[in-house]
Amino acid sequence: MKKILFATIGTVALGLSAPASAADIAARPYTKAPIAPPAPIYTWTGFYLGIQGGGGWGRSNETFFLLPNTPAFVGTQKYDTSGGFVGGVAGYNWQMGAFVVGLEGDYHWADINGRSAVVNVGPPNLGDSYFTRLRGFGDIKGRVGYAWGPALWFVSGGAAVGDIQHRYDAALNGGAANSFAQNDWRWGWTLGTGVEYMFAPNWSAKVEYNYIDLGKSTIQFSPVPANRSEWTDTIHTIKAGVNYHFNWGTPLVAKY
């Protein structure tokens, strides 16, 4: 006992410390593991504006009645039209769970045109033909869609309007004196489908197909009501665009 006491006193006197016990070691501070950020929740509700453009193709069917020139003109000419367009769009969406409904309107400046084969007016073939040009078109339609993550798959349908020109070009058969043209604003209908994708907060890109039927247009060749040509016009369009979503001050990608 005396040896142990003297050894301890000696150790202290020499400035040596005894080994530390587990109780003497300070507790290591606890660090909480970082919480993973929540997955983004996409909302389509709100007002949006966009730009879009693409290409279109269709069919113009012309039927001529009675005989202001020659019996060779009586009948139907069917010919293709094609071209491009660019325009803008505005709309509003309401989202309910995964389902989205909306109302949208757009308008496009276009040059979608085509010409018939030469109309045979008997020997010699003078090169007369019919011509159609869609100079602009738009629509007001409803949309119904299903949201899946950042993607929205939708169908649409509604009223369509087109600024359309039809001509009979008399070529060498009297030239301008026997040529006729008429510009019409025609109302019809449209159906379509597409997909829209959110690639950044408040921004989405879309691709859409639409079928447009603009009904019937008429050129009156004389005061006699029966002396006329009638056209029916249908167009297919593929458009791509970018939309900016305002969402009334709510971020497009909300995190909870």
Side-chain angles (χ1 to χ4, degrees):
M1 183 67 181
K2 290 180 179 181
K3 291 181 180 180
I4 296 174
L5 179 59
F6 289 146
T8 302
I9 294 172
T11 300
V12 173
L14 293 174
L16 302 176
S17 60
S21 65
D24 296 326
I25 299 175
R28 179 179 298 175
Y30 174 73
T31 302
K32 188 177 181 180
I35 300 175
I41 297 178
Y42 300 88
T43 174
W44 292 91
T45 296
F47 179 72
Y48 60 91
L49 292 173
I51 57 174
Q52 55 194 21
W57 69 97
R59 174 60 65 94
S60 195
N61 296 335
E62 183 273 343
T63 302
F64 186 83
F65 296 88
L66 293 187
L67 313 174
N69 291 304
T70 168
F73 287 93
V74 177
T76 298
Q77 295 286 326
K78 297 182 179 182
Y79 51 97
D80 295 330
T81 58
S82 62
F85 60 88
V86 64
V89 60
Y92 192 91
N93 289 319
W94 294 267
Q95 182 167 354
M96 299 161 287
F99 293 95
V100 178
V101 297
L103 185 64
E104 182 178 276
D106 59 25
Y107 186 80
H108 310 87
W109 293 269
D111 187 7
I112 299 174
N113 64 80
R115 185 178 295 278
S116 75
V118 170
V119 178
N120 185 4
V121 297
N125 190 331
L126 298 178
D128 294 15
S129 61
Y130 296 97
F131 179 79
T132 297
R133 170 174 286 144
L134 180 64
R135 306 188 301 179
F137 67 96
D139 57 52
I140 301 173
K141 58 182 180 286
R143 299 202 311 170
V144 179
Y146 182 83
W148 184 20
L152 174 65
W153 303 85
F154 63 87
V155 295
S156 62
V161 64
D163 175 13
I164 195 163
Q165 179 189 72
H166 294 106
R167 293 203 318 256
Y168 160 58
D169 291 334
L172 301 178
N173 185 22
N178 287 328
S179 296
F180 299 88
Q182 183 163 315
N183 300 328
D184 274 334
W185 284 95
R186 301 300 307 170
W187 282 94
W189 55 271
T190 180
L191 290 174
T193 184
V195 60
E196 195 167 349
Y197 186 85
M198 270 183 219
F199 62 88
N202 296 88
W203 289 97
S204 66
K206 76 172 182 180
V207 177
E208 183 177 359
Y209 162 81
N210 290 105
Y211 174 82
I212 302 169
D213 187 327
L214 291 177
K216 183 169 65 177
S217 302
T218 301
I219 289 182
Q220 195 69 47
F221 290 107
S222 78
V224 179
N227 292 355
R228 68 191 191 277
S229 273
E230 293 182 350
W231 275 266
T232 58
D233 294 281
T234 57
I235 305 102
H236 305 264
T237 65
I238 297 289
K239 66 184 73 167
V242 177
N243 292 337
Y244 180 81
H245 300 253
F246 292 90
N247 280 19
W248 301 113
T250 302
L252 189 61
V253 181
K255 295 184 178 181
Y256 297 90

